[in-house]
């Protein structure tokens, strides 16, 4: 993969670029992050940044419908304009390159590139072709996610992920994209966070399409994983040189006490968050404990499905944000017992870097065929303000430093982690929380679309510049 992103660094504040500010970010000299082949990049997703939802033949997605439904998204926000990236992509890629970031993880909006009859939408496709070619010119490694939650509404109208046919439509979409974009993509991820699509979308209704039934969640998950498994050989056939994988969000669950019931609750939390996805992918079976948690919710699985789902992967993308402290709910499951006096982010999520290390080292023991790992998302939301042209996001700087140290510890414990993507390149539409929660390392003023590089991004850039300069 290309790894020599051009670095103008003209977005840095003079004090940082001269190295005269104290630096609370730079990893210690013995950190694996200094290895030049450890990819450091940033991530975004189509619906969260693109806007232009009615332009050039884009069809409605489930998130257009959901966010237009009163009460579903904070302050009634929608992705209609978002960061206006569809029109500002060139400047955004220049910004990414000027920060010296070596990788960019983006997603493709399925409703932008394919019509309801499965025919290509040339204008939508051209947008991604231009963007990917520009990344290539700049030497930035591209990670492309095919599905980051913006399902075409016409497919939801036919049952969405509850309809097995959607998995086959996803394979068709994958075929089109990988034929059209072959040679411009370094790594393909089929799905982003199927847990969120299945559980938040169909299990508790907090995300689009807003259905709430555990049985729906397990069936939607099965069809999502089937879609993934059908897509992998398609990608291998059409774009052999690229890497192929999937991105899973993972959660650390710790027990509120030493009691056997609470220990079991923490185990079940991790089954529900992690094994539900990773066992089918890496062992070809669902964890039986899942159905202890949700009795009677076994999905309909046809002969051969589990083999399809367990197609070998070139990489596993891991998104990590927080841990949950849990206790037994007195029945089959767990309940959240929020700890007091711990550090939290604007989302209310606990900052717990050790969880990332512990999960990674645990996966290495559990899954003998664990593929190479990229941390495809990690970051935090904070209520950042631009003051005198600068954003001092001190908590994020510390958060990133500590999580990167956890990644280093996992690598030193033998886990093959090859890269890390900041979530996110810029503030964006944070789903049910709209624009209030700011995850970017670049601030976006939504009234003017002005981008302001936050101090965290300046420090990451400074580190990358130093690493690049090393012989
Ligand atoms: O913004 C999301 C992203 O789309 C998927 N992973 C978690 C992020 C923060 O909630």
């Amino acid at each position: 993969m290309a790894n020599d992103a051009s670095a103008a660094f003209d977005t840095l504040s003079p004090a940082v670029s001269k190295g005269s500010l104290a630096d609370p970010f730079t990893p210690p000299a013995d950190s694996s992050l200094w290895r030049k082949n450890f990819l450091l990049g940033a991530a975004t997703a189509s619906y969260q940044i693109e806007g232009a939802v009615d332009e050039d033949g884009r069809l409605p997605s489930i998130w257009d419908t959901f966010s237009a439904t009163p009460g579903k998204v904070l302050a009634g926000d929608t992705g209609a304009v978002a960061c206006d990236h569809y029109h500002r992509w060139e400047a955004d890629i220049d910004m990414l390159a000027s920060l010296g970031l070596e990788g960019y993880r983006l997603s493709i909006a399925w409703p932008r590139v394919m019509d309801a009859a499965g025919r290509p939408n040339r204008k939508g496709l051209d947008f991604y072709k231009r963007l990917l070619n520009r990344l290539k010119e700049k030497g930035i490694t591209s990670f492309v996610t095919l599905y980051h939650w913006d399902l075409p509404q016409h497919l939801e109208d036919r049952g969405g992920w509850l309809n097995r046919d959607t998995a086959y439509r996803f394979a068709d979409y994958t075929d089109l994209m990988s034929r059209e974009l072959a040679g411009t993509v370094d790594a393909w991820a089929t799905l982003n966070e199927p847990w969120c699509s299945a559980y938040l979308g169909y299990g508790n209704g907090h995300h689009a399409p807003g259905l709430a039934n555990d049985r729906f969640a397990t069936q939607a998950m099965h069809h999502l994983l089937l879609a993934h498994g059908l897509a992998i050989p398609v990608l291998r056939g059409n774009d052999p040189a690229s890497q192929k994988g999937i991105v899973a969000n993972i959660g650390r669950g710790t027990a509120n006490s030493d009691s056997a019931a609470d220990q079991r609750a923490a185990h079940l939390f991790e089954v529900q968050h992690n094994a539900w996805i990773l066992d089918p992918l890496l062992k070809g079976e669902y964890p039986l404990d899942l159905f202890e948690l949700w009795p009677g919710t076994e999905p309909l699985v046809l002969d051969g499905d589990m083999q399809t789902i367990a197609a070998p992967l070139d990489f596993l993308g891991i998104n990590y944000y927080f841990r949950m402290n849990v206790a037994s709910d007195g029945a089959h499951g767990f309940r959240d017992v929020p700890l007091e006096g711990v550090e939290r982010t604007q989302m209310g999520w606990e900052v717990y870097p050790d969880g990332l290390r512990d999960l990674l080292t645990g996966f290495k023991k559990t899954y003998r065929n664990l593929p190479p790992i990229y941390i495809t998302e990690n970051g935090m939301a904070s209520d950042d303000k631009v003051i005198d042209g600068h954003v001092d996001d001190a908590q994020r700087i510390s958060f990133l430093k500590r999580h990167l140290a956890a990644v280093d510890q996992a690598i030193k414990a033998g886990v093959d982690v090859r890269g890390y993507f900041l979530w996110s390149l810029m503030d964006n539409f944070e789903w049910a929380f709209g624009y209030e929660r700011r995850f970017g390392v670049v601030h976006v003023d939504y009234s003017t679309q002005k981008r302001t590089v936050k101090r965290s991004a300046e420090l990451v850039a400074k580190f990358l510049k130093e690493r690049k300069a090393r012989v």
Side-chain angles (χ1 to χ4, degrees):
M1 286 191 197
N3 203 359
D4 61 342
S6 66
F9 298 107
D10 50 2
T11 50
L12 299 192
S13 70
V16 169
S17 55
K18 282 196 205 103
S20 56
L21 280 185
D23 180 348
F25 174 76
T26 296
D30 69 342
S31 169
S32 338
L33 263 76
W34 284 101
R35 289 189 331 218
K36 285 189 180 166
N37 63 356
F38 185 89
L39 185 71
L40 251 173
T44 61
S46 46
Y47 191 72
Q48 294 181 272
I49 64 166
E50 285 178 3
V53 291
D54 295 325
E55 272 180 60
D56 293 342
R58 180 188 177 279
L59 301 177
S61 79
I62 54 173
W63 271 95
D64 297 294
T65 311
F66 188 76
S67 59
T69 309
K72 298 294 185 193
V73 174
L74 204 64
D77 290 342
T78 76
V81 178
C83 307
D84 196 30
H85 174 75
Y86 191 70
H87 300 116
R88 295 167 193 266
W89 66 272
E90 287 177 277
D92 288 338
I93 297 305
D94 286 349
M95 177 177 76
L96 179 85
S98 76
L99 292 169
L101 289 164
E102 300 158 335
Y104 182 46
R105 175 174 173 247
L106 66 135
S107 78
I108 290 172
W110 186 352
R112 201 181 279 293
V113 293
M114 215 176 187
D115 75 8
R119 289 178 300 237
N121 174 21
R122 288 283 149 211
K123 286 186 174 170
L125 269 165
D126 285 349
F127 167 69
Y128 296 107
K129 283 187 181 173
R130 286 192 297 268
L131 201 156
L132 287 161
N133 282 325
R134 182 64 60 84
L135 292 174
K136 228 181 174 32
E137 280 162 28
K138 297 214 177 256
I140 295 172
T141 298
S142 56
F143 271 59
V144 173
T145 306
L146 283 158
Y147 183 70
H148 198 126
W149 309 352
D150 37 5
L151 186 73
Q153 180 61 43
H154 61 86
L155 290 179
E156 183 58 35
D157 295 342
R158 285 187 266 152
W161 291 109
L162 296 177
N163 182 350
R164 187 177 169 93
D165 187 58
T166 300
Y168 297 95
R169 299 290 71 78
F170 180 77
D172 294 343
Y173 158 61
T174 301
D175 182 44
L176 174 69
M177 296 314 294
S178 51
R179 277 188 286 111
E180 292 283 342
L181 300 177
T184 63
V185 174
D186 292 300
W188 293 96
T190 52
L191 309 177
N192 177 70
E193 302 182 351
W195 185 90
C196 294
S197 301
Y199 185 65
L200 303 180
Y202 293 85
N204 71 11
H206 292 179
H207 278 189
L211 303 181
N213 179 312
D214 292 342
R215 174 74 183 79
F216 288 176
T218 59
Q219 193 64 60
M221 177 65 89
H222 185 65
H223 292 151
L224 281 152
L225 294 176
L226 180 65
H228 156 82
L230 293 168
I232 289 288
V234 173
L235 291 168
R236 290 206 189 284
N238 290 343
D239 193 9
S242 61
Q243 294 189 66
K244 290 97 191 157
I246 183 170
V247 170
N249 56 307
I250 57 165
R252 180 70 171 134
T254 52
N256 193 46
S257 80
D258 290 340
S259 75
D262 286 357
Q263 299 289 328
R264 177 84 186 145
H267 167 75
L268 288 176
F269 173 91
E270 292 197 359
V271 166
Q272 203 253 47
H273 282 77
N274 309 332
W276 184 15
I277 299 97
L278 298 183
D279 279 14
L281 291 171
L282 300 175
K283 291 182 173 173
E285 61 193 25
Y286 286 105
L288 290 179
D289 291 352
L290 184 69
F291 308 110
E292 176 184 322
L293 187 64
W294 290 331
T297 65
E298 288 83 350
L300 181 64
V301 176
L302 301 192
D303 278 355
D305 283 1
M306 299 313 293
Q307 244 176 314
T308 302
I309 289 170
L313 301 171
D314 300 331
F315 75 94
L316 175 66
I318 289 291
N319 297 352
Y320 174 78
Y321 288 93
F322 60 90
R323 77 138 157 202
M324 202 177 271
N325 184 58
V326 297
S328 165
D329 67 356
H332 301 290
F334 55 82
R335 67 188 166 86
D336 182 15
V337 186
L339 292 171
E340 287 182 16
V342 295
E343 180 185 346
R344 294 188 183 275
T345 70
Q346 191 191 16
M347 296 295 282
W349 297 345
E350 184 189 343
V351 178
Y352 191 68
D354 286 356
L356 177 56
R357 178 202 57 213
D358 296 345
L359 287 169
L360 291 174
T361 51
F363 295 156
K364 187 169 161 60
K365 288 190 195 113
T366 308
Y367 302 108
R368 277 183 304 133
N369 56 345
L370 187 69
I373 286 176
Y374 287 87
I375 307 302
T376 33
E377 286 180 26
N378 178 236
M380 59 160 284
S382 51
D383 185 17
D384 300 319
K385 304 265 189 288
V386 182
I387 298 171
D388 297 334
H390 297 283
V391 181
D392 186 4
D393 51 342
Q395 191 191 6
R396 179 173 294 105
I397 293 163
S398 163
F399 178 103
L400 297 176
K401 185 181 177 85
R402 287 177 282 162
H403 283 79
L404 283 162
V407 171
D408 177 46
Q409 287 162 12
I411 293 172
K412 288 181 175 140
V415 186
D416 184 4
V417 187
R418 301 198 176 171
Y420 174 101
F421 291 81
L422 304 156
W423 183 269
S424 174
L425 173 63
M426 56 188 146
D427 296 337
N428 58 49
F429 177 76
E430 177 52 24
W431 308 111
F433 296 95
Y435 296 101
E436 194 197 79
R437 311 291 160 95
R438 293 182 174 273
F439 273 93
V441 293
V442 172
H443 181 276
V444 176
D445 177 337
Y446 296 107
S447 60
T448 61
Q449 292 294 349
K450 183 174 167 37
R451 275 67 162 147
T452 304
V453 172
K454 300 183 191 178
R455 185 146 189 262
S456 55
E458 293 180 340
L459 291 172
V460 171
K462 175 175 172 278
F463 164 63
L464 285 167
K465 191 178 181 187
E466 279 171 27
R467 188 172 81 169
K468 202 171 172 189
R470 284 202 170 181
V471 273

